[in-house]
Amino acid sequence: MIIEIASQGGFGGIAASALHKRIDVDQQVGPLRQELCEAFGPAELARLARTPCNNCADRVTYSITIIQGSDAPQNFILREDQLPPDTLDLLDRF
């Protein structure tokens, strides 16, 4: 599984908040691989995307694309407040 993550926005659209990451989950070691699969599995991202935004103003928005084998890529748009703190911390590790 490949995870591609891009972000934009934040306070005044500050460019410092923009990121572009590509994570090859299969290249990660056991526990980290499992953690990535749980946090960024398509079912989990779809569930998170359905959560309402409590305070959407000036939030970073993440575009997360999941690529699995020959399946069509799946894209999810999530705001910063829709991602659990543990998932945001996981993003910071890459």
Side-chain angles (χ1 to χ4, degrees), residues 5 7 14 22 31 38 47 56 66 68 94:
I5 303 165
S7 71
I14 295 172
R22 182 179 173 98
E38 290 173 4
R47 182 188 73 76
C56 296
I66 305 299
Q68 294 182 349
F94 291 91

Side-chain angles (χ1 to χ4, degrees), residues 34-87:
Q34 182 65 32
E35 195 174 354
L36 286 165
C37 287
E38 290 173 4
F40 293 98
E44 176 63 5
L45 292 174
R47 182 188 73 76
L48 292 171
R50 289 189 301 269
T51 59
C53 180
N54 296 324
N55 180 7
C56 296
D58 295 328
R59 296 290 181 164
V60 173
T61 300
Y62 295 92
S63 174
I64 303 173
T65 302
I66 305 299
I67 303 166
Q68 294 182 349
S70 61
D71 294 345
Q74 297 179 27
N75 191 44
F76 302 89
I77 305 297
L78 294 135
R79 291 171 311 277
E80 181 179 29
D81 66 322
Q82 291 177 297
L83 291 169
D86 290 347
T87 302

